[in-house]
Amino acid sequence: MREKEIIVVGISAGATSKSRSELLLNSLLDEFSQVNCKIKKIAIRDLKISFCDGFRGCEKTGTCKWKDDMQLIERKIIEADVVVVSSPIYFTSIPANLKAIIDRCQVYWARKNILKNFNLEPKKGLFISIAGRNPDFNHAETIIRAFFSVFNIKLAGKYYLPNTDTINENIFLESIKEVKNLIKEVLK
Ligand SMILES: Cc1cc2nc3c(=O)[nH]c(=O)nc-3n(C[C@H](O)[C@H](O)[C@H](O)COP(=O)(O)O)c2cc1C
């Protein structure tokens, strides 16, 4: 038996609960729950997040002037052992609501790199992304890596599904199974 329960936080940027990126996330989270991990899921569409306006007060104070659902994201990521982000590709990148969350992480970046009072224990991260056509997923991955690095999260695995505009249901059902393999990247 494991000494400590593993906490897995799943962050979905899917537009609805039926979004295929979210169905892939659900499939993986389900796999984690089968091995007794504690699952916490966040759907970004349910959150109220203000945009970072580049005020940069955080670089001096270590706090953000906006008080909104970022506090929930912070709490969940800090307590997580594994963070899974799932996102569709929008205009070759991630959707604006996910990017808004990542931009708001400037306060943690400032605390880590300028104020030197934010240094978390290492965590593992996974990235799931899907796209209608066949874009370069590296654009989105670069942003996710930058987001993860602020919280000392190492990208341990990724699953990308292109061509959702044209693939048939069987291929999608196959990917629902395949994505579960990501669990092996973090629970070795
Ligand atoms: C605003 C918007 C922008 C999109 N931009 C791209 C794109 O640049 N490249 C691409 O391959 N698909 C693009 N798509 C298609 C989505 O990536 C695709 O439909 C995906 O399966 C949606 O995932 P979901 O079911 O999780 O919402 C875009 C869709 C939307 C709504």
Side-chain angles (χ1 to χ4, degrees), residues 6-19:
I6 293 177
I7 300 178
V8 180
V9 171
I11 301 175
S12 170
T16 74
S17 60
K18 303 265 179 336
S19 293

Side-chain angles (χ1 to χ4, degrees), residues 17-82:
S17 60
K18 303 265 179 336
S19 293
R20 289 201 262 186
S21 54
E22 185 150 331
L23 298 180
L24 290 172
L25 175 67
N26 292 345
S27 169
L28 178 60
L29 293 181
D30 207 39
E31 196 70 2
F32 276 111
S33 71
Q34 307 280 317
V35 289
N36 296 326
C37 295
K38 188 163 186 182
I39 309 301
K40 305 200 171 181
K41 187 175 143 189
I42 302 169
I44 295 175
R45 61 182 175 277
D46 295 337
L47 306 182
K48 293 255 176 306
I49 306 282
S50 301
F51 293 102
C52 174
D53 60 4
F55 172 66
R56 304 186 88 137
C58 63
E59 294 176 7
K60 293 192 179 69
T61 63
T63 57
C64 180
K65 66 180 187 177
W66 302 120
K67 300 294 168 239
D68 56 19
D69 287 332
M70 267 315 280
Q71 276 72 45
L72 179 146
I73 299 267
E74 172 187 319
R75 237 185 7 257
K76 293 270 191 276
I77 293 181
I78 287 176
E79 70 181 355
D81 300 294
V82 179

Side-chain angles (χ1 to χ4, degrees), residues 13-15 25 53 67 72-73 79-80 83 86 90-91 94 98 110 122 136-137 144 150 161 163 169 173 178 181-182:
L25 175 67
D53 60 4
K67 300 294 168 239
L72 179 146
I73 299 267
E79 70 181 355
V83 176
S86 175
Y90 281 4
F91 280 87
I94 55 172
L98 175 55
D136 183 350
F137 285 95
I144 297 301
V150 172
L161 178 67
N163 301 318
E169 199 51 27
L173 290 176
E178 270 173 17
N181 288 325
L182 282 179

